[in-house]
């Protein structure tokens, strides 16, 4: 599955989050987000057991607050979410709940595998993420996918090497099921747009 891109590069001009929010109100978009800011002194020391939250890198207080602010901004801007998919790691689940407003579907399809799963499994997860991005949301809704930098890189390519915690890539799925990149936005962009 190849993702087409509207802009020549994801590094094109930053989007106007307030203008994009007008379109997002109508639904039909897939937002792929890297989880919020984490505690840099933590590591995933039991990565094959995502239920062991005590052995994971978790959202920092700043990351938690920023995710809550982004969720509040989406509500204020009137952006509706249907399905919210997250990784199995707590930092993604918590980000998804705070931004999407509650229930999330956590799946290995967007869970970071890195060096602890086979290259074949990492490839499968990249293809699964691409397929999710190409799946049109329910009518009048948007889909939110909260995942990790390695998954984003594997699915979208090296132009996402600099993807930041809390950064969103917004895709519009056309009638033929082809996702097109609208742009990328930082968490602060949504918060600012809602405050204008």
């Amino acid at each position: 599955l190849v993702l087409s891109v509207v802009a020549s590069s994801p590094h094109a001009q930053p989007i106007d989050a307030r203008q994009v929010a007008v379109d997002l109100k109508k639904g039909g978009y897939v937002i792929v987000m890297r989880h919020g800011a984490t505690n840099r002194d933590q590591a995933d020391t039991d990565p094959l057991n995502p239920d062991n939250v005590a052995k994971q890198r978790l959202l920092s207080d700043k990351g938690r607050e920023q995710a809550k602010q982004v969720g509040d901004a989406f509500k204020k801007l009137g952006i509706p979410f249907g399905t919210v998919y997250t990784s199995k790691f707590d930092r993604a689940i918590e980000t998804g709940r705070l931004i999407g407003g509650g229930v999330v579907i956590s799946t290995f399809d967007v869970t970071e595998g890195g060096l602890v799963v086979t290259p074949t499994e990492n490839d499968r997860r990249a293809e699964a993420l691409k397929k999710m991005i190409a799946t049109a949301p329910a009518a009048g809704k948007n889909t939110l996918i909260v995942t990790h930098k390695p998954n984003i890189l594997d699915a979208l390519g090296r132009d996402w090497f600099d993807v930041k915690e809390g950064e969103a890539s917004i895709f519009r799925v056309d009638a033929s099921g082809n996702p097109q990149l609208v742009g990328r936005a930082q968490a602060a962009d949504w918060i600012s747009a809602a405050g204008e």
Side-chain angles (χ1 to χ4, degrees):
L1 182 62
V2 176
L3 299 178
S4 59
V5 179
V6 171
S8 59
S9 163
H11 298 291
Q13 292 295 332
I15 66 165
D16 178 342
R18 187 142 182 90
Q19 181 55 48
V20 170
V22 171
D23 294 329
L24 288 170
K25 283 183 189 184
K26 302 170 195 164
Y29 292 82
V30 177
I31 301 171
V32 178
M33 183 173 285
R34 184 177 175 199
H35 59 76
T38 56
N39 291 305
R40 295 181 50 83
D41 61 345
Q42 294 176 332
D44 296 320
T45 56
D46 189 12
L48 292 176
N49 183 9
D51 294 329
N52 190 354
V53 175
K55 299 283 188 174
Q56 294 177 25
R57 195 171 87 240
L58 302 172
L59 286 185
S60 64
D61 290 341
K62 177 185 172 191
R64 198 170 292 110
E65 179 57 28
Q66 191 173 60
K68 182 184 176 311
Q69 289 176 344
V70 171
D72 291 345
F74 282 145
K75 282 183 197 148
K76 186 174 179 183
L77 293 166
I79 298 171
F81 287 106
T83 308
V84 177
Y85 295 103
T86 73
S87 153
K88 293 274 189 182
F89 286 110
D90 191 71
R91 59 188 175 271
I93 293 170
E94 191 172 10
T95 300
R97 286 183 179 146
L98 289 169
I99 291 175
V103 178
V104 302
I105 298 170
S106 65
T107 173
F108 281 110
D109 287 348
V110 296
T111 299
E112 183 175 350
L115 300 175
V116 300
V117 301
T118 66
T120 301
E121 175 60 10
N122 278 324
D123 291 346
R124 186 201 68 76
R125 291 179 188 192
E127 288 306 310
L129 178 53
K130 288 178 187 180
K131 186 175 179 184
M132 292 167 82
I133 294 170
T135 301
K141 302 287 185 181
N142 300 292
T143 299
L144 176 64
I145 303 168
V146 183
T147 186
H148 305 269
K149 180 177 181 175
N151 302 70
I152 293 168
L153 269 170
D154 287 348
L156 301 178
R158 66 178 183 233
D159 284 334
W160 273 263
F161 181 77
D162 64 344
V163 65
K164 295 179 176 33
E165 291 179 323
E167 181 177 322
S169 296
I170 302 104
F171 294 88
R172 174 80 176 149
V173 182
D174 68 21
S176 301
N178 296 314
Q180 297 181 326
L181 179 68
V182 173
R184 292 165 63 174
Q186 302 301 320
D189 297 333
W190 302 113
I191 296 164
S192 174
E196 292 177 357

